[in-house]
Amino acid sequence: GQQLNQSPQSMFIQEGEDVSMNCTSSSIFNTWLWYKQDPGEGPVLLIALYKAGELTSNGRLTAQFGITRKDSFLNISASIPSDVGIYFCAGSGGSNYKLTFGKGTLLTVNP
Amino acid sequence: NAGVTQTPKFQVLKTGQSMTLQCAQDMNHNSMYWYRQDPGMGLRLIYYSASEGTTDKGEVPNGYNVSRLNKREFSLRLESAAPSQTSVYFCASNVGTGVIDTQYFGPGTRLTVL
């Protein structure tokens, strides 16, 4: 089956620093999604990418759909304490209604 | 719109007990999903329903059953709970056209099996 490798597993940064995390796949995906999960809550969609090479921003967040369709990255600029949480990538081949999730990146921001 | 709602939020069971986790969505979505989340494992798909009247197994279906009661509701049943089923359970839904794959998640049910 499809597998996603998400890295890093965890990050400890200082407030104000930029953050980068990425996902790579063994298969081609038609859609890449990035979610954030706050402690005790369900994942919330941050950015959706539907086209190879697409670069999309949402405030301080920027994500790209890799040109090979097998990878994606998420950047967070000028991190703030409320950025703390688990970030998940997810991909879909588009034909079977299912998403494959990475194992998550745990982000800690020190004020 | 409430989005995706789940009940209960917390539950403690003894080994062998049964229970049903409830999920409902008010977004007129066709597809619904049940995941479990364990530390270091990410989100693993238990069962999904691509459309009303259909259900299919996901990655970790053993020990679970599901019912797509109608378009809005999708329940997950544990017939005989085991400690290995201690986890956080999330329900999700999406439009289900196969083109737009964004899934929207509920707040989760935290289940402990003693």
Side-chain angles (χ1 to χ4, degrees):
Chain A
Q2 297 173 324
Q3 292 185 350
L4 283 183
N5 293 313
Q6 184 171 351
S7 63
Q9 285 187 322
S10 61
M11 302 182 74
F12 298 84
I13 61 171
Q14 293 296 124
E15 183 177 358
E17 290 183 351
D18 297 343
V19 172
S20 183
M21 58 192 78
N22 68 83
C23 278
T24 58
S25 167
S26 57
S27 306
I28 290 174
F29 284 143
N30 295 328
T31 303
W32 281 96
L33 306 173
W34 284 93
Y35 287 85
K36 183 195 177 195
Q37 184 179 25
D38 290 327
E41 303 290 333
V44 174
L45 182 69
L46 297 174
I47 293 179
L49 302 159
Y50 299 108
K51 187 177 177 181
E54 180 180 358
L55 184 70
T56 298
S57 293
N58 178 6
R60 294 177 296 106
L61 277 61
T62 301
Q64 183 157 30
F65 191 146
I67 198 71
T68 65
R69 294 167 65 191
K70 291 186 176 181
D71 63 319
S72 177
F73 72 75
L74 174 71
N75 287 342
I76 306 173
S77 62
S79 59
I80 59 178
S82 62
D83 290 335
V84 165
I86 303 176
Y87 292 79
F88 291 100
C89 62
S92 172
S95 62
N96 59 6
Y97 303 93
K98 293 190 290 185
L99 290 175
T100 300
F101 282 85
K103 294 186 177 180
T105 295
L106 174 62
L107 179 64
T108 303
V109 180
N110 295 318
Chain B
N1 287 351
V4 180
T5 57
Q6 292 182 237
T7 57
K9 293 202 72 172
F10 300 93
Q11 184 71 51
V12 179
L13 294 176
K14 294 181 180 178
T15 297
Q17 287 186 317
S18 61
M19 79 160 295
T20 300
L21 282 63
Q22 305 288 351
C23 173
Q25 53 89 13
D26 62 2
M27 296 176 283
N28 201 36
H29 284 172
N30 290 310
S31 300
M32 298 185 73
Y33 307 80
W34 277 105
Y35 293 89
R36 60 178 289 173
Q37 184 178 32
D38 302 293
M41 299 296 291
L43 290 155
R44 293 184 293 170
L45 183 64
I46 304 171
Y47 270 94
Y48 70 105
S49 171
S51 60
E52 187 179 357
T54 68
T55 60
D56 286 285
K57 295 179 180 179
E59 182 183 356
V60 288
N62 291 345
Y64 305 96
N65 285 302
V66 291
S67 295
R68 183 73 182 268
L69 303 170
N70 47 55
K71 191 172 185 179
R72 290 186 64 248
E73 299 173 287
F74 189 37
S75 63
L76 178 72
R77 183 160 178 84
L78 286 69
E79 290 290 352
S80 179
S84 61
Q85 294 178 304
T86 294
S87 188
V88 182
Y89 292 85
F90 288 101
C91 178
S93 71
N94 75 2
V95 174
T97 62
V99 176
I100 300 173
D101 301 291
T102 307
Q103 290 185 12
Y104 298 87
F105 285 82
T109 294
R110 283 143 188 85
L111 175 66
T112 301
V113 183
L114 302 174

